[in-house]
Amino acid sequence: MTSKNYSSFSFSSHYRLMALLLVVVIAGMSQGLLLPLLSIMLEHSGVSSDLNGINSAAMYIGIFLTMFIIEKPVVRFGYKKVIVTGILLVTISTLLFPVTQTLTAWFILRLLVGVGDSSLHFATQLWIVSSSPADKRGKYISLYGMAYGVGFSIGPLGINLLALGQALPFVASSLFFTVVLLLVLRMKNEWPEKAAKDTAAENRFIRTYRLAWFVLIPGLLYGLMEASMNSTFPLYAIRIDIGQQWISLLLLAFGIGSLILQLPLGVWSDRIGRKPVLIGCGFIGAFAFLTVPLAGDNIAVLFVLFMAAGGVVGSFFSLGLAYAADILPRNILPAANVIASIHFSLGSVMGPTLGGFGMQYVSSHSLFLFLGAAFLFFALLGFGFRPKAQQISSG
């Protein structure tokens, strides 16, 4: 990027930002829809919850694997071409879901959706970061997070389209992607600056773990929670006779809680510190999840619990990265971001798999007992984490 890109944020720059944010909204909608929708359809087809969970993990396996190879295509072909390829991959795969319901075919399609999602998210986020004016970069990255949250929250509402036809939710999602594809095609392609090779990459990762192991856990927990709620909760709801229309509403409540408290939690963490906020959110989240089995099929109580849980743990990923920026030297912050993303993917793969096996072989309530225990353990670990003063000052 040249200095001109930063000094003048023209009409074309605003168009690019709005188009990229719209891509993120639609990508979030797609992911928020496909996870519960496919789980519900497999449940109705008589697929066991453990196999259902394994199948749900395919999307996150695709996301995880893509992170190791996506940087080179972006550098070689530019942001726009990678985003277009990601959109096409997700759109075509989505349209193929209603054609067949075999587990093998859906596993492959989910894997491809994960590859496409990961590609367009990586390119979109990097494009926004690299093209934003320095004094507004934080604001625009916050808008990126909000855009994904909005899309992911309203995505499950598409489940209600099943009543009008099995293929309709998939067609609707593909139409949204077609619209944003037309917007992206009008944009001028750009390329990121090539980074110098780092021969000490492994040492940076080891040092990051040594200095900031606690702040890297939220990424894992956030992925675990997000994937579990969207893939395994619909199975739980069906088994305790919660109507299909209520499933989408409860998942929406989870997202709404996250959106409402995202900014306040960030402000509070600036004032009183990241660690107390993370510990407090961990305890509250644990209480909310552990209380869900006691609520039974009471929609009103579940709505409140889901909104509370979503509100306090929905910002875990961003709060963890903010804490990392507080205590780590600047030269290893990129390593922390990579590790946090890998942890998120690992948690996303583990969530549906463990949730499905738990429901099949342990208890129908195992999902919430597991999530509650995980967040409680994290909160207790926080009391033993002591970042060194020189780390904070160097960050």
Side-chain angles (χ1 to χ4, degrees), residues 32 36 40 152-160 225-226 229-230 232-238 240-258 289 292 295-311 368:
I40 289 172
F152 198 86
S153 298
I154 64 179
L157 295 177
I159 295 173
N160 298 312
M225 174 271 300
E226 182 188 86
M229 290 303 300
N230 283 276
T232 311
F233 168 69
L235 311 182
Y236 170 83
I238 291 173
I240 63 172
D241 296 324
I242 292 179
Q244 199 167 276
Q245 70 278 10
W246 294 116
I247 295 175
S248 60
L249 179 64
L250 290 171
L251 291 176
L252 177 62
F254 206 86
I256 290 174
S258 176
F289 284 124
V292 167
D297 60 355
N298 189 314
I299 301 299
V301 176
L302 287 174
F303 190 91
V304 173
L305 290 174
F306 276 32
M307 184 173 286
F368 299 103

Side-chain angles (χ1 to χ4, degrees), residues 88-322:
L88 289 174
L89 195 56
V90 174
T91 303
I92 294 171
S93 299
T94 300
L95 287 173
L96 290 176
F97 278 112
V99 177
T100 176
Q101 290 191 23
T102 62
L103 283 176
T104 302
W106 275 23
F107 187 91
I108 295 173
L109 290 175
R110 282 177 154 177
L111 196 71
L112 293 175
V113 168
V115 172
D117 265 333
S118 183
S119 301
L120 67 88
H121 273 296
F122 182 88
T124 302
Q125 185 179 32
L126 190 58
W127 201 352
I128 292 176
V129 171
S130 60
S131 63
S132 299
D135 60 335
K136 295 183 179 179
R137 192 168 299 142
K139 173 184 175 182
Y140 292 151
I141 293 304
S142 297
L143 289 175
Y144 173 91
M146 293 290 288
Y148 177 76
V150 169
F152 198 86
S153 298
I154 64 179
L157 295 177
I159 295 173
N160 298 312
L161 294 175
L162 272 177
L164 304 176
Q166 182 172 282
L168 192 56
F170 302 99
V171 173
S173 178
S174 298
L175 287 176
F176 280 119
F177 267 118
T178 302
V179 172
V180 296
L181 176 61
L182 296 176
L183 294 176
V184 173
L185 288 174
R186 294 185 57 190
M187 298 163 60
K188 181 181 178 181
N189 195 14
E190 294 183 8
W191 287 260
E193 295 180 2
K194 293 184 179 180
K197 292 184 178 180
D198 186 357
T199 58
E202 184 178 2
N203 292 333
R204 290 190 300 114
F205 289 119
I206 293 175
R207 188 181 179 199
T208 300
Y209 273 113
R210 179 171 57 84
L211 298 178
W213 57 268
F214 176 73
V215 306
L216 300 173
I217 298 175
L220 178 71
L221 291 179
Y222 183 76
L224 194 72
M225 174 271 300
E226 182 188 86
S228 297
M229 290 303 300
N230 283 276
S231 298
T232 311
F233 168 69
L235 311 182
Y236 170 83
I238 291 173
R239 295 190 177 193
I240 63 172
D241 296 324
I242 292 179
Q244 199 167 276
Q245 70 278 10
W246 294 116
I247 295 175
S248 60
L249 179 64
L250 290 171
L251 291 176
L252 177 62
F254 206 86
I256 290 174
S258 176
L259 292 174
I260 290 175
L261 284 184
Q262 192 170 62
L263 184 58
L265 286 175
V267 174
W268 292 336
S269 70
D270 286 334
R271 293 178 179 176
I272 67 175
R274 320 284 183 204
K275 180 179 170 180
V277 171
L278 281 169
I279 291 176
C281 288
F283 278 123
I284 296 173
F287 175 80
F289 284 124
L290 292 173
T291 307
V292 167
L294 301 178
D297 60 355
N298 189 314
I299 301 299
V301 176
L302 287 174
F303 190 91
V304 173
L305 290 174
F306 276 32
M307 184 173 286
V312 294
V313 305
S315 298
F316 251 48
F317 189 85
S318 58
L319 283 177
L321 290 181

